[in-house]
Amino acid sequence: MAFRFNGNFDELCYPFIYEQSWLCDFEVVTDELCALLGAAISHMDDSLDDLRADLERIQPLAFHVNGSIRGRLAVSEADLQWLAARLQHYREQVPERLNGFVLPRGLPPVPQLHMARSGCKKAIRLMVRLEQDGMQVPMLLPRLCNLLCNLLHVLTLVVNQRRGLIEPAFVSQSYGKPVGGEQPA
């Protein structure tokens, strides 16, 4: 038996919550993304005013992405271009930190930015599933979420650099050089 709305709106958190489609999951994930961006903004101190201003412009984009599959496409190529410019701007501030992987660490808003970055990946994966299920997903949406994911990662590096924190490097034992320097046969 499928779950159904019983008519009591106090017992319904979202009109599409009982849908069987991946679309509702996508909308829940992008809702969480918007909330995480809001949490990051609330942790910005005065030394991060430029990042706060950018995140205040980015946060509504998460809700625009949210409704852009079920409703009208609410993001544009101009939004992508702006995000790309901001990514380049912040990359220029941390060029030496962009070589390799780091363990995600730092005081707020860094954890919230990392969780939002992960939320972008979840949204992209759900868009892949929706597309596989035959739903039309404008390519602009996964492009935007990929770009936003990369921007959020760079913002964590910028925040930590401004605070004097250097993230520990992460070297995967699953990829790259074999453990112990052994060469594959």
Side-chain angles (χ1 to χ4, degrees):
M1 181 166 116
F3 291 135
R4 292 188 349 210
F5 174 51
N6 67 7
N8 182 346
F9 283 99
D10 290 342
E11 296 179 11
L12 186 70
C13 65
Y14 187 58
F16 308 108
I17 201 70
Y18 295 131
E19 271 186 1
Q20 300 284 319
S21 163
W22 291 106
L23 182 55
C24 183
D25 298 83
F26 166 78
E27 291 165 343
V28 168
V29 163
T30 51
D31 179 71
E32 179 182 26
L33 171 61
C34 189
L36 289 167
L37 292 167
I41 291 166
S42 71
H43 286 289
M44 296 279 178
D45 59 36
D46 291 343
S47 70
L48 303 171
D49 280 345
D50 55 335
L51 280 76
R52 179 188 301 118
D54 285 343
L55 288 173
E56 286 174 349
R57 181 166 173 185
I58 289 167
Q59 187 184 24
L61 288 177
F63 269 162
H64 290 315
V65 167
N66 175 290
S68 285
I69 296 175
R70 190 182 299 274
R72 287 185 310 275
L73 181 62
V75 294
S76 68
E77 196 67 40
D79 294 318
L80 238 64
Q81 292 169 4
W82 179 79
L83 285 171
R86 299 317 294 157
L87 175 59
Q88 184 57 34
H89 168 76
Y90 289 113
R91 276 183 176 156
E92 291 170 2
Q93 295 183 27
V94 290
E96 67 289 343
R97 291 177 174 237
L98 297 173
N99 303 324
F101 294 99
V102 296
L103 294 171
R105 298 210 183 148
L107 297 172
V110 172
Q112 290 80 8
L113 292 170
H114 278 298
M115 289 186 289
R117 179 178 58 82
S118 184
C120 290
K121 292 178 183 179
K122 291 175 188 176
I124 295 162
R125 290 301 303 153
L126 287 166
M127 285 186 268
V128 169
R129 293 210 176 213
L130 288 167
E131 183 79 14
Q132 287 172 338
D133 286 351
M135 187 163 282
Q136 292 286 89
V137 178
M139 190 61 197
L140 185 62
L141 298 175
R143 288 174 57 214
L144 188 141
C145 287
N146 273 288
L147 189 53
L148 180 55
C149 181
N150 292 331
L151 174 58
L152 293 172
H153 170 69
V154 172
L155 291 181
T156 67
L157 301 175
V158 170
V159 171
N160 281 340
Q161 176 175 279
R162 290 184 187 181
R163 293 177 172 172
L165 187 144
I166 298 174
E167 304 86 352
F170 173 74
V171 179
S172 174
Q173 294 182 6
S174 300
Y175 304 101
K177 293 181 183 178
V179 176
E182 302 160 355
Q183 296 300 315

